[in-house]
Amino acid sequence: MRLEKIILREIGMPLVSFFEASFGRTTDRRIILVEVRGEGASGWGEVTAPENPFYNEETTETAWHIISRYVAPRLLRREVRCAAEINELLLHIRGHNMAKGGVEAAVWELEARLNGKPLWRHIGGARTEIPCGVSIGIQNTVEELLERIRRELDAGYQRIKIKIKPGWDVGVVARVRERFPAIRLMADANSAYSLADAGHLKQLDQYYLMMIEQPLAYYDLLDHARLQEQLATPICLDESIRNARLAEQAIELRAARIINIKLGRVGGFAEARRIHEVAQAAGIPVWCGGMLESGVGRAHNVALSTLENFVLPGDVSASKRYFARDIILPPVEVTPSGTIRVGEDPGLGHNLDLDYIESLTARKEELV
Ligand code: OSB
Ligand code: MG
């Protein structure tokens, strides 16, 4: 397979409502779309780096730089055997997984299209319907949070994740539990705590959460293992799991009982599949996380979620929860029972709304 051209587009998309995590509030997305052209077809990917380096080190700006300066020159004008090889070709670029992952995923999509297969089958997916949950950000008041939860439950979503931070944690979870005693509920701290907070976090045990996600530092496995020893609530790692080796280390240390896999954070489908395998072999369930993606990244997340060990509902939800209008047609939709179904159309399984993408484009670069 010869990759002829990589086109980067930065699009601006306002969120229908702000999304707040412990690290800050997002109101407008700046998303890099990657179009990889080769063999007369196009594959599409999305860079999931956020606007600011508050989730991990990457940003929209750094990803643009890394792709245009390092990733594209490495992949263009050479014979690439298969999409599964891209990860290795980019190993010399340290870190910057989201930049690399956006391009890697685009090559998988291109390859799927060239083979006339849906992306989810091409990566080895096993299920045609995936269970969905929602991630609900920190709200201005607990009443607003309760109202949002009710809306998402009415829409059919199978589990609710709320964001927590110091000052918006035990008391909030208590009120959510009081109102919704039987729902599948979990909390994501995005690294807002330290091991010194173990006693405080232990209070969450009484609310029988499915899991607490990434309570401690984004790079720390050892302290998560120490915290897990003290908690009944399972710890799920997100930020800390950047590759399959770290997943092995987390499992061996008992730092996590559940793993959140994000395509971008781990550098694409090849590494996501390796983490999926490592976890499966150890009896650790996984689920697919989200980064407020547009339809392109969302469709990739749906495809990833069809792998066998994605047994827990992911943060993979309908386009309309994020954007008034998505860039793919049809948008990602969720059934009344809180699932997304995949079909047999090749590649992404959605059409790109190219005119709309063009109208959202703030900058564009063609790399040859
Ligand atoms: O930690 O899972 C996270 C959004 C942005 C950055 C980090 C996270 C999130 C979410 C929302 O929780 C996931 C989504 O709905 O796309
Ligand atoms: Mg998270």
Side-chain angles (χ1 to χ4, degrees):
M1 183 172 34
R2 193 163 271 270
L3 307 181
E4 282 135 27
K5 193 189 263 191
I6 295 177
I7 304 168
L8 297 184
R9 292 176 179 85
E10 181 188 323
I11 58 170
M13 293 180 85
L15 291 171
V16 290
S17 45
F18 69 82
F19 184 84
E20 186 172 323
S22 62
F23 55 74
R25 189 178 276 200
T26 307
T27 54
D28 294 270
R29 295 292 341 271
R30 289 176 60 200
I31 294 170
I32 301 175
L33 297 177
V34 183
E35 179 184 358
V36 176
R37 292 207 185 146
E39 312 290 338
S42 279
W44 287 77
E46 175 167 338
V47 174
T48 63
E51 296 65 38
N52 300 303
F54 306 152
Y55 166 80
N56 63 4
E57 303 90 333
E58 294 188 79
T59 71
T60 313
E61 268 325 301
T62 67
W64 190 285
H65 166 68
I66 292 292
I67 296 171
S68 106
R69 177 81 184 268
Y70 301 101
V71 176
R74 175 77 173 160
L75 300 181
L76 289 168
R77 283 174 286 117
R78 64 143 67 213
E79 196 56 36
V80 174
R81 253 181 301 131
C82 55
E85 191 192 55
I86 300 289
N87 184 275
E88 272 129 271
L89 285 172
L90 300 177
L91 272 184
H92 66 295
I93 305 167
R94 296 190 178 174
H96 300 286
N97 286 350
M98 291 171 163
K100 295 189 275 189
V103 178
E104 199 258 17
V107 179
W108 278 96
E109 211 255 324
L110 172 63
E111 195 174 72
R113 276 184 202 268
L114 292 173
N115 290 322
K117 282 209 289 197
L119 178 63
W120 67 272
R121 281 199 188 281
H122 187 52
I123 62 162
R127 77 184 85 228
T128 55
E129 191 167 3
I130 64 161
C132 304
V134 289
S135 173
I136 304 179
I138 293 162
Q139 304 297 311
N140 290 325
T141 66
V142 178
E143 273 313 316
E144 281 169 78
L145 176 64
L146 294 171
E147 173 53 24
R148 269 182 182 265
I149 293 174
R150 194 197 53 73
R151 261 199 343 248
E152 305 295 9
L153 292 170
D154 287 349
Y157 287 103
Q158 299 185 10
R159 73 102 169 95
I160 301 290
K161 160 168 139 184
I162 65 167
K163 292 288 197 179
I164 56 169
K165 66 175 181 182
W168 181 275
D169 51 26
V170 179
V172 175
V173 171
R175 288 193 57 193
V176 173
R177 260 301 176 230
E178 194 187 349
R179 182 76 63 91
F180 304 103
I183 62 170
R184 292 214 269 174
L185 181 66
M186 60 173 290
D188 185 0
N190 289 106
S191 297
Y193 299 92
S194 73
L195 195 54
D197 298 311
H200 180 67
L201 294 172
K202 180 121 188 79
Q203 298 177 71
L204 291 173
D205 278 349
Q206 62 191 301
Y207 304 108
Y208 47 99
L209 301 176
M210 292 173 80
M211 68 195 92
I212 178 170
E213 184 179 345
Q214 196 72 36
L216 309 180
Y218 69 97
Y219 48 78
D220 203 310
L221 294 181
L222 207 46
D223 274 1
H224 279 105
R226 291 181 176 133
L227 179 63
Q228 182 67 91
E229 270 181 9
Q230 302 176 53
L231 292 188
T233 307
I235 291 177
C236 168
L237 290 180
D238 171 356
E239 283 89 330
S240 295
I241 307 297
R242 295 154 175 257
N243 54 54
R245 183 63 188 138
L246 282 166
E248 283 176 342
Q249 292 175 357
I251 292 167
E252 192 168 326
L253 286 167
R254 298 182 202 280
R257 293 189 194 150
I258 299 169
I259 291 177
N260 163 336
I261 301 183
K262 285 182 182 168
L263 196 54
R265 194 192 69 225
V266 307
F269 281 108
E271 198 65 19
R273 290 202 307 192
R274 278 193 278 274
I275 296 171
H276 169 266
E277 277 166 33
V278 161
Q280 191 165 28
I284 301 278
V286 305
W287 54 277
C288 182
M291 291 295 295
L292 313 175
E293 288 90 345
S294 79
V296 172
R298 196 163 298 284
H300 283 167
N301 289 345
V302 171
L304 182 64
S305 305
T306 65
L307 297 179
E308 208 180 353
N309 192 35
F310 280 79
V311 289
L312 296 170
D315 286 343
V316 185
S317 51
S319 300
K320 67 173 182 203
R321 293 191 60 247
Y322 305 84
F323 307 108
R325 178 176 169 189
D326 205 344
I327 59 169
I328 56 166
L329 293 166
V332 171
E333 280 162 338
V334 169
T335 68
S337 52
T339 65
I340 293 173
R341 293 208 183 91
V342 292
E344 294 298 333
D345 290 342
L348 274 188
H350 298 259
N351 291 311
L352 288 132
D353 191 341
L354 291 171
D355 291 337
Y356 187 47
I357 289 173
E358 189 65 32
S359 75
L360 300 174
T361 299
R363 61 172 157 168
K364 185 172 174 179
E365 188 175 339
E366 302 210 354
L367 305 157
V368 289

